[in-house]
Each structure stands twice: as C-alpha cells, then as structure tokens.
Amino acid sequence: MARYGKEHKQETRRRIIEVAGRRFKRDGIDGSGIATLMADAGLTNGAFYAHFGSKEELVATTVAEQLRAQSASFSAQAPDRGAGLEQLVRAYLSAEHRDNLEDGCPSAALLDEIGRCTDATKRAFTDGVLVVIDDLAARLAPDDPESARTKALSVFAMMVGTLQLSRALADRRLADDILEQGIQNALALLGARPQR
Amino acid sequence: MARYGKEHKQETRRRIIEVAGRRFKRDGIDGSGIATLMADAGLTNGAFYAHFGSKEELVATTVAEQLRAQSASFSAQAPDRGAGLEQLVRAYLSAEHRDNLEDGCPSAALLDEIGRCTDATKRAFTDGVLVVIDDLAARLAPDDPESARTKALSVFAMMVGTLQLSRALADRRLADDILEQGIQNALALLGARPQR
DNA sequence: TGTACATCAGTGAACGCGCGTTCACTGATGTAC
DNA sequence: TGTACATCAGTGAACGCGCGTTCACTGATGTAC
C-alpha cells in the first residue's frame, strides 16, 4: 500500500501541510481535527505522527508555509519588485478574495487565533509575515525599504482588518463598500510620503 | 440552593454573558467549553440550557453585548461625541490594551472567528459594530456623520488589524513599533479630509 | 400563624461524538547473496 | 535470476478526555387557605 523512500514521504508531508493550510483557513485551527485533515490528504489519522510531533508543530509549519506561499504569490502577481502596489491592494481587497477563504491570506483567516498560539507558532508567523511586509516595503520605497517597513506593516494590518470585517458583516452591500473604501484609504496612505 | 424569581434568573443570565465575553476573547469561541464557562459563572453545566437554546445562541448574544459595552466604554472615555478621536485611538493602540485580551475589543479578539459563525451571529455583529462605527463617524465629522461612516469603518479595521498583528508577533520591540506606527497612520487618515 | 402545594433555578449524571495521541501490525519496496 | 530478509510509510483500533446537549431530580422560595 504505502510507497517507499524519502522522496515519497516528503511529498506526503507537503500534501498534509497544503491541505492543513486550506482547512485551517476555512474552519479555523481549533475547528480542524487531525483525522479530518489526514482524510483530506488521502491518509488515515495514525500516519500523522510519522510526519509531525504534535498538532501544534503542524500549525507552526503550516503558518510558515502559508506566508511563504503568499510572498511567492505577490511576486508572481506583480513581478516588478519596485512597484505593483496598487494592483496588489486591489486584488487583496476584492470580493473574490473575501469569498475564497481557502486560497486566501492566512493572516486574514487566522490572525486572532495565531495570537493565542504557542511562542513557536508566533515566531514562525513573525518571520513569515516580515518577508511579506518587506516585499511591500520594497514596492513602497525601492530606494529605502528599511525605513518603509513599519509603514508597510501598518498598511498590511489595515488590509487584513478590512478583509476580516468584510467577511464578518451580514450585509453584503456594506461588506462591498468597506472593501472599496479600504482600497481608497490604502492607496491614500501609500501615496503620502512619511510625515515625521 | 437556587434562589427564586425572574430578577434573579436575569441576573444569572447577565453573569453568564459577561464571563462568556471574557473567556471567548481569551481562549476563542471554539476554545471555550460550556462546562468551563458555567463554572466561571459559579454554576454547573446543566443550568446553561435554562438560559440559552444552544452555544451558538450564547455566542450571538455575547457578541452583541460586547459591542454594546465597547460603545458605552468609548462614550465614557471621551464623553464629547464630536471629538476625542485621538484619545480613543491612543488608548486602543496601547500596549495595555494589547496585553489585556479579556477586557479588550471583541473585534480584535474574535473577528476571524465571527466570520465563520452563523448568519445570526454575523447579524448581531453587524448591528453592534455599526453603533461603534457611527460613534467614531460622529467624532470624525460632527456635521455630516453619515458620509464619514465608511471612512470610520476603514479606520476601525486598521486599528483592529494592527492590534491583532501586535498580539501575534513574537518580537516585543516590533509589536510595540507597529502600535506606534498605527497611531501615526490612524491620525493621519483621520486628519485628512475625504478626497473624492 | 401554620400547613400543603406549586413553581422553577440549578444540579449532576449521562448521551453519543470527535478530539489529540499511541501503538501493534501490514505489506509494498529495496537490498544481499 | 531467485530467495530471504530489512526497511518503513501507512493502517486502524484503542486510550482518556472534553465537547454540546438532555433530563430526572432537588430543594429553596412563593402562594393559597
């Protein structure tokens, strides 16, 4: 039944991490059981512990991988590292992104749960999100990305909060409105030069 | 053992909602069991269903109550309805607020989980958060609060995202920095007149 | 004032279920001779 | 080339536990006469 070899095992591991990313984002971390996760990956629950020491270890690994993938997706969407911000903002604050949790931003789907996780998971998040932030900072100020870091972080926080809010509102019209307003305000913030 | 009368029962109900608010914000909705919640309120699990039809009903009720309390707290902190925004922003994006989940903003603690809740809970959230937003809008543009609504919503989203991010970062210095940067950017956004 | 009865908030055990985790086992693959 | 053995990815049943929910019961309080 089981195929043999290091390569195969690593591919299985990748598959678990990938389905975990989708499940976590859709149902939450607490809302996703290991048996379900493993069934998604075409395996049974027992196999899990050949790949990860605990659920929390999978969470940390998955958070890291999700942020890596998001960074790669930003680069693919807007390959010019010194630009493309408006395009990224519009794609991020779109109804499509809001309505597609599984393929969406891990921060928007999981940020408050990550705040309640172990230090190891928070560290994985911190490292991963800084790569995303630094990508944004480089687009914001190609000649001095270092100084733009906290500003990029703040704009990112705004986009995350806006998407979460849009998902939590029961009024569709209002949910669409705040995405649009979020785009306007993000672009205004990005356009303004630092004021201190 | 049990005291008798409508008044007493309603007081117990209030107590359950209050401890649920604190627990949910600290451990998440999925992370808080009914038996624990009831023990917090000094009762046993069985009594729960004399007060609520289901856990989800408690969630919707608690979300509504939390937002009502937040609105009241804003009014108490800055009684002049046409002003006080800077004060509110500074209190919101403070290290004290970040480090005190239980007494803090329900949106920052629960927003992504609310996005995964039933429609009834989302509706309770929508109604409640609009009161908070309208309070902010009235402070932002006392003479035309209606037009300031989406802008207030967007600023609120930014504050929520920033607080969540600050809580999820493993690096204390960085977490403090983005609070400070969030204050600067929120004030800049609020100071600017609408640009369309 | 005293007794009998009705009310009902809360108790606590039990329900079936899914959780994270463990482990003896299977059986396909690879290696040795 | 064929056989015997080692490796090990994955299976599936079981562990103790907490989940949301139900319900027969308790006993303090209030009402009627």
Side-chain angles (χ1 to χ4, degrees):
Chain A
M1 218 160 261
R3 276 197 13 252
Y4 186 58
K6 247 184 196 173
E7 254 174 64
H8 171 69
K9 189 172 181 186
Q10 275 179 358
E11 203 227 292
T12 300
R13 182 185 157 96
R14 268 193 296 277
R15 208 166 64 246
I16 297 170
I17 295 167
E18 203 234 307
V19 300
R22 297 176 152 272
R23 268 279 169 190
F24 287 163
K25 288 191 286 182
R26 209 187 64 186
D27 300 334
I29 296 170
D30 280 352
S32 302
I34 281 171
T36 311
L37 241 39
M38 293 302 279
D40 282 355
L43 297 162
T44 52
N45 56 340
F48 180 79
Y49 293 87
H51 295 278
F52 302 95
S54 65
K55 183 183 182 183
E56 193 59 42
E57 195 184 310
L58 171 68
V59 172
T61 306
T62 301
V63 165
E65 165 57 21
Q66 283 288 316
L67 288 161
R68 197 205 52 71
Q70 180 170 44
S71 176
S73 153
F74 278 10
S75 300
Q77 270 178 73
D80 182 355
R81 245 183 88 76
L85 263 178
E86 178 166 352
Q87 192 186 337
L88 289 178
V89 168
R90 288 189 184 279
Y92 193 99
L93 294 175
S94 68
E96 293 73 43
H97 186 189
R98 177 192 61 207
D99 298 335
N100 186 2
L101 264 170
E102 294 193 20
D103 296 314
C105 172
S107 297
L110 300 173
L111 197 42
D112 62 47
E113 262 190 302
I114 291 169
R116 286 180 228 111
C117 285
T118 60
D119 260 12
T121 299
K122 285 179 168 186
R123 219 168 296 274
F125 173 77
T126 306
D127 295 346
V129 83
L130 284 180
V131 175
V132 172
I133 295 305
D134 282 345
D135 177 280
L136 295 180
R139 293 170 196 275
L140 182 59
D143 40 342
D144 187 9
E146 194 110 339
S147 77
R149 194 189 240 201
T150 53
K151 183 170 195 176
L153 237 166
S154 202
V155 172
F156 181 68
M158 171 177 171
M159 297 201 296
V160 168
T162 302
L163 196 63
Q164 286 187 358
L165 210 41
S166 185
R167 282 171 175 159
L169 292 172
D171 181 329
R172 176 74 193 230
R173 169 88 71 86
L174 196 59
D176 288 344
D177 279 358
I178 70 154
L179 288 184
E180 182 57 36
Q181 193 66 26
I183 292 171
Q184 300 307 321
N185 286 325
L187 295 182
L189 258 176
L190 291 170
R193 292 291 119 205
Q195 57 269 74
R196 306 191 277 167
Chain B
M1 217 160 263
R3 281 204 1 258
Y4 187 59
K6 247 185 197 173
E7 253 176 63
H8 172 68
K9 189 173 180 184
Q10 275 180 358
E11 203 227 291
T12 301
R13 183 185 156 96
R14 269 193 295 278
R15 207 166 66 247
I16 297 171
I17 295 168
E18 202 233 308
V19 300
R22 296 176 152 272
R23 268 279 170 191
F24 286 163
K25 290 192 284 182
R26 209 188 64 186
D27 299 336
I29 296 170
D30 280 351
S32 303
I34 282 172
T36 312
L37 242 39
M38 292 301 281
D40 282 356
L43 298 161
T44 54
N45 53 341
F48 180 80
Y49 293 88
H51 294 279
F52 302 95
S54 65
K55 184 183 181 183
E56 193 59 41
E57 194 183 311
L58 171 67
V59 172
T61 306
T62 301
V63 164
E65 165 56 22
Q66 282 289 315
L67 287 161
R68 196 205 52 70
Q70 181 171 43
S71 176
S73 154
F74 278 10
S75 299
Q77 270 178 75
D80 182 354
R81 244 184 88 74
L85 263 179
E86 176 165 353
Q87 191 185 337
L88 289 177
V89 168
R90 288 188 185 280
Y92 192 99
L93 294 175
S94 69
E96 293 73 44
H97 186 190
R98 178 192 61 207
D99 298 335
N100 186 2
L101 264 169
E102 294 193 21
D103 295 314
C105 172
S107 298
L110 300 173
L111 196 42
D112 62 49
E113 262 190 302
I114 291 169
R116 286 181 227 112
C117 286
T118 60
D119 260 12
T121 299
K122 285 179 169 188
R123 221 168 295 274
F125 173 77
T126 306
D127 294 346
V129 83
L130 283 180
V131 175
V132 173
I133 296 303
D134 283 343
D135 178 280
L136 294 181
R139 293 170 196 274
L140 181 59
D143 39 343
D144 186 9
E146 193 111 338
S147 76
R149 196 190 239 203
T150 54
K151 183 170 193 175
L153 237 166
S154 202
V155 171
F156 181 66
M158 170 177 171
M159 296 201 298
V160 169
T162 301
L163 196 63
Q164 286 187 359
L165 210 40
S166 185
R167 282 171 176 159
L169 292 171
D171 181 328
R172 176 74 194 231
R173 168 88 70 86
L174 196 57
D176 288 345
D177 279 357
I178 71 154
L179 287 184
E180 182 56 38
Q181 193 66 27
I183 291 170
Q184 299 308 320
N185 287 325
L187 296 181
L189 258 177
L190 291 171
R193 292 292 119 204
Q195 58 269 73
R196 300 194 283 168

